[in-house]
Amino acid sequence: MILNLINVNTFSTFDWLIVLALLILLLVQIFALKRNKPSSTLRFWLKISLNILLWAVVLLLFINPSIEKSLDSNKVLLVSENVPQSTIQKVKDSLKITEVFSQKSFNRQVIDNPKLINQLGKIYLLGEDASPELLSKIKQHSIQWIPSFQEDELQEIHWNGITYQGEIQQIDGKVFSSTSQILRLKYANQVLDSIKLEKGFNTFRLGFTNFSIGKTAINLELGEKSVKEINFFSLKNQPHNFLFILSNPDFESKTLADWLGKNGNKVETITTVAKNTQSTFSINTAKKFVPDIIITDPSNAGNTLVKKAFSDGKSVLFINVENPDIDVRAINQNLGMKWKVKRISNQENRVISQDLTAHPYQFEVSSFQKSIFEYPIAIQKRFGKVGVSLLNESFPLMLSGDSITYSRIWQSTLQALYPSSNDNIKVDAPIFADVKSNIKTKQNTDELILVEKDTVATTQSGINPLSAVAKYTFRKAGWNTFQDSLSIYVEDRNGNLAKAKVIKPYLNESEISNAENTADFFSTTMPEWFWYVLIVLLLTALWLEPKF
């Protein structure tokens, strides 16, 4: 910035009277110093100079002079508090920015120069600490946010705030790792999932089959240090109806049917035991049985019951695959799906774990396809959802006593196939106190949702007319009652993750710059503390002068 000139603010009559009084006070001081003139001429002029300087500083504090400076308005860097000077200098050099403001100084400049906002072009925001007042002032500009997170500090993280037992709880995030180390999800001393991070910037995804009911807290650990507590509320799954349609009896289907029945589900099995002869077996079923999910083998892909259930929007799971190439082709032809598999090994089987093997094939990646953890199981959706498992047999897990792995496989698979509930609620966590959050729910727009003692109206989603969105700002940190029987965990907003969430809605890099010139001029004033410091220094000098 270049100093051009100093302008004195226009004074009122009262202001001129104050200036006149200060001038009379100065003359009185000089007259008093002349009457008590010290023996030394040098000391006399030192006293005169100090008094004149003190008077001048008091006068400048009162008149508050403005300084007109040049400003490169094309690019401006706004810096949050506590950002190291080395980081600021690095950003300035890399982006070739000359104009740097702290948020306090920028707010002061805007007060002194209301037209300054309109003169600015692209704004770079360095750091996470930005007030909503500042963001609202600059929101019409193109804003690029430059985070200033520390090493090993989470830069972003997301998970489901309300989930179902057996559902896959997925945690996505970003972190700059100071070294190569392990990121773990732990419940007590049990590791639920882990991933190795390389030194530098990493995006990560961790997941596990939700085992809990009610309020749940798990830890995210980086190396040996806990970096985040993951809090969510878990709902118990409602019983579902399963129909097994089998070409012949087998241990895999029987074990899965028994496991579903023991977990409170209704199960009916139709098995072909001979030509034109079928056997029916039921678990927990009543007279009226309408299946939610069909479990069958690829030879029944053309079965009338399977095709009708699929066209009605029901889910179908294919197990007991024998020849992936041929079986996938049959599923595609009969149900109009787009499954693709490729052989990845010349071995007869590939080993998943000690008691679990699969065909030496894998599914080709597709944007409309969901995989189930590291297992060769995937889900696609057309009218209904279709799942295909390339596992050979999973019942040996139960025989060996590994019911945890068995449950993880099938709970996660079936959760992805369940029909959506009429009262589905989706909450993107973390939620922070005093920061607006979205709550997505499957209900009509004229219904209300209950949060603590408040009722919140919902708005129909513009993307999905069967769902609605409620916007709500939680004020209390900790567990908040939601819809009477549920809870949502709300975090304190003091951390950098909360501050970053405040910033993100204001980012609008697609906006066209408002600056027409690369250089403008604006007026600025010195902060009051500068004049107060000078006054204290001069008073100290006047007090010390007679002592020497």
Side-chain angles (χ1 to χ4, degrees), residues 194-243:
S194 64
I195 186 173
K196 184 177 182 181
L197 302 182
E198 300 300 327
K199 181 179 180 180
F201 182 78
N202 294 264
T203 58
F204 62 85
R205 171 170 289 179
L206 298 169
F208 62 96
T209 303
N210 180 27
F211 52 86
S212 63
I213 297 175
K215 299 174 183 178
T216 306
I218 60 176
N219 285 319
L220 181 64
E221 295 184 0
L222 181 58
E224 301 301 321
K225 178 184 177 183
S226 177
V227 293
K228 187 70 180 173
E229 185 176 74
I230 310 295
N231 290 279
F232 60 92
F233 190 85
S234 181
L235 295 166
K236 182 176 177 60
N237 267 320
Q238 297 299 314
H240 290 86
N241 298 342
F242 292 88
L243 174 61

Side-chain angles (χ1 to χ4, degrees), residues 292-294 306-318 331 335-339 368 378-388 416-420:
D292 298 314
I293 297 177
I294 308 292
V306 173
K307 295 178 75 172
K308 183 179 186 308
F310 177 67
S311 63
D312 290 340
K314 306 291 184 180
S315 296
V316 181
L317 173 62
F318 289 95
I331 295 171
L335 302 182
M337 305 305 293
K338 297 182 179 180
W339 292 102
F368 52 86
I379 313 293
Q380 286 187 8
K381 183 175 182 180
R382 191 166 173 256
F383 299 114
K385 298 175 184 177
V386 174
V388 177
L417 292 168
Y418 285 149
S420 59

Side-chain angles (χ1 to χ4, degrees), residues 503-523:
I503 291 173
K504 288 180 180 178
Y506 291 91
L507 301 180
N508 192 359
E509 297 182 35
S510 62
E511 284 292 320
I512 300 174
S513 171
N514 290 334
E516 297 180 357
N517 304 313
T518 58
D520 292 290
F521 295 91
F522 72 100
S523 297

Side-chain angles (χ1 to χ4, degrees), residues 208-364:
F208 62 96
T209 303
N210 180 27
F211 52 86
S212 63
I213 297 175
K215 299 174 183 178
T216 306
I218 60 176
N219 285 319
L220 181 64
E221 295 184 0
L222 181 58
E224 301 301 321
K225 178 184 177 183
S226 177
V227 293
K228 187 70 180 173
E229 185 176 74
I230 310 295
N231 290 279
F232 60 92
F233 190 85
S234 181
L235 295 166
K236 182 176 177 60
N237 267 320
Q238 297 299 314
H240 290 86
N241 298 342
F242 292 88
L243 174 61
F244 283 76
I245 301 176
L246 306 172
S247 298
N248 45 60
D250 64 271
F251 281 112
E252 180 73 357
S253 302
K254 184 180 184 306
T255 304
L256 182 55
D258 290 342
W259 177 81
L260 288 169
K262 289 178 182 179
N263 282 278
N265 298 286
K266 298 177 182 179
V267 180
E268 187 169 297
T269 303
I270 301 175
T271 307
T272 301
V273 293
K275 187 175 182 180
N276 299 323
T277 304
Q278 291 181 327
S279 171
T280 302
F281 177 74
S282 300
I283 304 175
N284 302 333
T285 58
K287 292 182 179 180
K288 186 177 181 181
F289 180 83
V290 179
D292 298 314
I293 297 177
I294 308 292
I295 299 178
T296 187
D297 51 65
S299 63
N300 285 304
N303 185 290
T304 304
L305 289 175
V306 173
K307 295 178 75 172
K308 183 179 186 308
F310 177 67
S311 63
D312 290 340
K314 306 291 184 180
S315 296
V316 181
L317 173 62
F318 289 95
I319 61 174
N320 295 332
V321 171
E322 294 182 356
N323 189 321
D325 285 322
I326 297 174
D327 290 345
V328 162
R329 193 178 305 120
I331 295 171
N332 290 341
Q333 289 174 349
N334 285 282
L335 302 182
M337 305 305 293
K338 297 182 179 180
W339 292 102
K340 291 182 180 180
V341 294
K342 62 180 179 181
R343 192 178 185 97
I344 57 174
S345 172
N346 292 323
Q347 301 294 324
E348 183 179 354
N349 296 307
R350 60 179 174 125
V351 177
I352 306 299
S353 64
Q354 183 177 353
D355 296 305
L356 189 65
T357 62
H359 293 285
Y361 288 78
Q362 71 178 21
F363 295 102
E364 293 190 14

